[in-house]
């Protein structure tokens, strides 16, 4: 791979910009959390860039893009590499564009902030809270490690989605500044409808150099864990709780027994093994109402509330959002490396019945994990169920059964935008790639519509990017 590009010529054009060629460090920055998936682990484990380039300003980003364009070298942007699908992995080698040092919060105003792409979400939140008691609306459970640019380009939602929906929803991104990959890279300002061109496009059609995002009022959040004897009881309670518009919630998840006891090791002391848990982040002023509401549900049991723990009990406990979203899977993997996961939508209005039916069908091969969200204005749930992995064939079969039963899968075992999403071409993102990256140098291999316009998504086959070669073949 290395001989394909003139890296020495590239470096000579990047005077003053930090670069790194130490093979161990380049390898480290060429990876993300792709290994969550046994399929992606097999396909992508060998992927490595040729050089890491770390610009710290928009002007430096433009210089890197112009130089790489002139030399025909691919560029794969990277925030902090916490994505799960190999999104930030350079499938054709070339430049890993590390944006983690381009990370200032530039402006905070009533209801909004402006930041550079590499800013870490928890750092932005700390600054907006200190500035004017405002907080970011949405963050992934990787709050302490993920960058805002990586969230916009590679994430979907998370903590806050029970109130605000996902990143795809109108109003959750205000404005993006984007650099194009051309002989003379341009800067474009995108707002409104145009945001769809680059949001969740994995950096395949532009480099985000600035974000403007909305803020909400900052609250003191309390973690509550409720236990139920049955999964149905926990799901019905969570669904009803999510519909209480007056209760200020930040996150609402269900994890079926015995996973909370077996995998949430620091919380184990609070959780009986047979308890199906509802994890809630609630504003301190809404806690009494939440507990009163819970009493209406037969069998509900308060297992933990973070505001009354003694210092001894609270010692070393992670926040509850680090038990939720993909942190649930991470904690399971630490205890049992044979576990993998799915991403499922249980569509409104049948979500409670569907969850029940699907989990009755699979038993303990698929352990239920739900995240309640607002989806097009309705409360429903996504699932990130944990799957006892036996083979890639069985995993495919489990996903097919979900879809047959009416629960669409967003396949987390694929590295392309289309296969991980709606399994169809996104014409808006494709058209913008033609305009902003005419040579196809940005994050190659991730947009099927660009690589293979005739690809048949109904073929049942997995798309294989040719530059991945034999190591990625199969399935
Ligand atoms: P990276 O992984 O570095 O990049 C993500 C994508 O964006 C890549 O395609 C990259 O090429 C592109 N990119 C990065 N920066 C730019 C830029 N400036 N311009 C253009 N393209 C760019 N995700 C969620 O949505 N919700 C969750 O709750 C959630 N929980 C997670 C929990 C765990 C334990 C893990 C491992 C992952 C989780 N994720 C979640 C996935 C991931 O953490 C988030 O999406 C995160 O926001 C990605 O940010 P990052 O800086 O790590 O991006």
């Amino acid at each position: 791979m290395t001989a394909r590009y003139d890296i020495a010529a590239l470096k000579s054009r990047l005077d003053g910009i930090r670069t790194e060629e130490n093979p161990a460090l380049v390898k480290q920055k060429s990876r993300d959390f792709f290994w969550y998936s046994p399929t992606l682990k097999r396909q992508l484990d060998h992927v490595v860039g040729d050089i890491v380039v770390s610009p710290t300003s928009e002007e430096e980003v433009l210089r890197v893009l112009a130089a790489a364009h002139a030399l025909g070298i691919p560029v794969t942007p990277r925030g902090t590499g916490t994505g799960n699908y190999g999104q930030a992995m350079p499938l054709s080698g070339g430049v890993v564009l590390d944006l983690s040092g381009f990370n200032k919060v530039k402006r905070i105003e009533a209801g909004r902030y402006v930041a550079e792409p590499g800013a870490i979400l928890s750092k932005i939140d700390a600054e907006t809270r200190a500035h004017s008691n405002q907080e970011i609306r949405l963050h992934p459970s990787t709050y302490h490690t993920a960058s805002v640019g990586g969230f916009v380009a590679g994430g979907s939602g998370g903590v806050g989605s029970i109130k605000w929906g996902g990143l795809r929803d109108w109003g959750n991104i205000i404005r993006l500044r984007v650099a194009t990959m051309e002989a003379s890279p341009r800067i474009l300002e995108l707002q409104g409808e145009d945001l769809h061109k680059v949001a969740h496009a994995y950096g395949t059609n532009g480099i985000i150099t600035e974000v403007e995002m909305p803020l909400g009022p900052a609250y003191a959040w309390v973690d509550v864990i409720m236990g139920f004897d049955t999964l149905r009881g926990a799901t019905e309670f969570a669904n009803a709780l999510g519909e209480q518009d007056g209760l200020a919630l930040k996150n609402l998840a269900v994890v079926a027994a015995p996973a909370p006891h077996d995998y949430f090791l620091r919380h184990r002391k609070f959780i009986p093994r047979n308890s199906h848990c509802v994890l809630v982040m609630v504003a301190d002023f809404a806690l009494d109402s939440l507990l009163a509401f819970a009493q209406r549900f037969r069998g509900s049991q308060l297992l933990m509330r973070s505001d009354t723990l003694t210092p001894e009990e609270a010692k070393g406990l992670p926040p509850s959002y680090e038990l939720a979203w993909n942190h649930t899977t991470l904690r399971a993997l630490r205890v049992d490396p044979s576990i993998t996961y799915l991403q499922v939508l249980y569509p409104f209005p049948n979500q409670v019945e569907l969850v029940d039916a699907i989990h009755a069908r699979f038993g303990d091969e698929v352990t239920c994990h739900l995240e309640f969200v607002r989806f097009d204005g309705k409360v429903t749930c996504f699932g990130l169920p944990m799957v006892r992995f036996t083979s890639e064939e069985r995993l495919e079969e489990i996903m097919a059964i979900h879809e047959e039963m009416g629960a669409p899968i967003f396949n987390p075992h694929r590295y392309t935008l289309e296969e991980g999403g709606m399994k169809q071409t996104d014409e808006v993102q494709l058209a913008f790639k033609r305009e902003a990256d005419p040579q196809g140098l940005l994050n190659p291999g991730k947009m099927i519509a660009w690589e293979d316009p005739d690809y048949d998504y109904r073929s049942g086959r997995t798309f294989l990017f040719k530059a991945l070669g034999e190591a990625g073949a199969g399935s």
Side-chain angles (χ1 to χ4, degrees):
M1 210 175 258
T2 311
R4 278 201 280 169
Y5 309 121
D6 191 346
I7 298 298
L10 178 76
K11 274 179 76 177
S12 72
R13 295 175 188 221
L14 300 183
D15 201 28
I17 301 177
R18 213 176 90 213
T19 60
E20 180 60 69
E21 284 180 280
N22 176 318
L25 295 176
V26 175
K27 183 172 177 195
Q28 193 188 15
K29 293 270 167 146
S30 299
R31 299 162 89 78
D32 59 15
F33 282 73
F34 73 107
W35 52 263
Y36 260 50
S37 158
T39 311
L40 294 179
K41 170 106 175 101
R42 171 177 62 74
Q43 292 177 322
L44 304 184
D45 208 28
H46 67 291
V47 166
V48 63
D50 294 283
I51 185 169
V52 179
V53 182
S54 306
T56 57
S57 66
E58 187 174 271
E59 181 261 323
E60 289 187 354
V61 169
L62 293 175
R63 278 180 56 205
V64 180
L65 295 181
H69 185 275
L71 296 162
I73 302 177
V75 171
T76 299
R78 174 188 177 87
T80 50
T82 67
N84 297 103
Y85 329 122
Q87 295 113 299
M89 294 178 70
L91 304 189
S92 293
V95 172
V96 173
L97 189 72
D98 165 24
L99 294 154
S100 61
F102 179 19
N103 61 13
K104 288 191 205 54
V105 178
K106 296 167 85 169
R107 228 167 45 237
I108 301 168
E109 294 168 10
R112 59 170 91 185
Y113 71 90
V114 176
E116 293 173 350
I120 298 293
L121 289 153
S122 59
K123 181 172 171 284
I124 299 171
D125 210 33
E127 290 196 31
T128 58
R129 278 173 175 267
H131 176 273
S132 43
N133 207 30
Q134 300 187 83
E135 66 179 30
I136 54 179
R137 283 185 179 179
L138 298 175
H139 63 78
S141 61
T142 43
Y143 176 65
H144 288 292
T145 47
S147 74
V148 66
F151 187 40
V152 168
S156 51
V159 183
S161 288
I162 183 60
K163 163 105 179 124
W164 299 105
L167 278 172
R168 67 187 265 284
D169 287 307
W170 293 105
N172 282 330
I173 303 170
I174 299 171
R175 180 181 58 86
L176 299 173
R177 255 172 98 82
V178 176
T180 64
M181 182 58 159
E182 299 170 281
S184 297
R186 291 171 292 152
I187 290 289
L188 304 176
E189 293 258 354
L190 306 180
Q191 280 177 289
E193 194 76 69
D194 287 343
L195 292 167
H196 298 298
K197 293 176 176 173
V198 294
H200 203 79
Y202 292 0
T204 54
N205 56 12
I207 304 298
I208 298 165
T209 59
E210 185 177 283
V211 303
E212 183 167 344
M213 306 284 280
L215 292 167
Y219 297 140
W221 298 106
V222 178
D223 290 337
V224 173
I225 302 181
M226 307 288 307
F228 290 81
D229 296 341
T230 61
L231 176 61
R232 176 81 184 207
T235 309
E236 278 178 355
F237 169 68
N239 196 66
L241 181 60
E243 288 175 345
Q244 301 313 304
D245 292 336
L247 279 177
L249 304 180
K250 184 94 181 184
N251 204 53
L252 177 56
V254 170
V255 185
H261 176 90
D262 287 359
Y263 303 146
F264 301 163
L265 300 183
R266 291 181 185 271
H267 287 79
R268 178 178 270 181
K269 57 191 175 221
F270 305 112
I271 304 175
R273 192 157 192 271
N274 60 356
S275 272
H276 302 273
C277 288
V278 180
L279 316 174
V280 192
M281 270 174 88
V282 59
D284 56 355
F285 55 82
L287 182 57
D288 288 341
S289 300
L290 163 68
L291 297 178
F293 179 70
Q295 287 189 352
R296 296 186 176 183
F297 289 78
R298 209 158 37 90
S300 72
Q301 206 191 342
L302 176 64
L303 300 179
M304 191 213 82
R305 53 185 279 186
S306 61
D307 61 332
T308 54
L309 297 177
T310 63
E312 193 52 39
E313 285 172 326
K315 204 170 153 204
L317 277 191
S320 74
Y321 63 79
E322 288 184 2
L323 305 177
W325 295 94
N326 255 322
H327 271 80
T328 317
T329 324
L330 184 61
R331 289 182 193 282
L333 277 167
R334 282 187 186 148
V335 174
D336 180 354
S338 75
I339 291 216
T340 191
Y341 73 122
L342 305 176
Q343 295 178 159
V344 187
L345 173 65
Y346 305 95
F348 179 89
N350 303 318
Q351 63 271 19
V352 173
E353 283 71 28
L354 200 52
V355 166
D356 232 22
I358 286 178
H359 286 282
R361 167 100 185 230
F362 290 111
D364 62 6
E365 185 180 15
V366 179
T367 301
C368 182
H369 165 203
L370 308 173
E371 295 289 344
F372 280 82
V373 297
R374 271 190 184 275
F375 191 81
D376 292 335
K378 310 284 194 306
V379 170
T380 191
C381 47
F382 277 107
L384 292 100
M386 292 162 276
V387 178
R388 208 179 328 110
F389 181 73
T390 44
S391 69
E392 288 183 26
E393 292 70 31
R394 177 61 184 156
L395 196 56
E396 295 295 321
E397 200 171 87
I398 293 171
M399 288 193 268
I401 294 171
H402 274 77
E403 298 217 314
E404 275 161 28
M405 292 179 77
I409 294 279
F410 299 92
N411 193 340
H413 305 283
R414 299 287 181 271
Y415 55 80
T416 60
L417 280 161
E418 293 93 339
E419 291 167 300
M422 301 305 289
K423 301 167 195 85
Q424 63 189 34
T425 296
D426 183 326
E427 297 292 349
V428 172
Q429 293 189 344
L430 176 63
F432 190 63
K433 186 165 173 78
R434 289 198 187 104
E435 177 190 339
D437 178 26
Q439 288 194 15
L441 291 170
L442 288 179
N443 206 353
K446 307 289 169 59
M447 188 191 279
I448 297 178
W450 177 268
E451 308 295 343
D452 182 359
D454 299 324
Y455 186 76
D456 178 6
Y457 297 101
R458 288 159 304 175
S459 67
R461 282 182 297 115
T462 302
F463 174 75
L464 179 65
F465 181 47
K466 52 187 180 314
L468 274 181
E470 287 306 307
S475 90

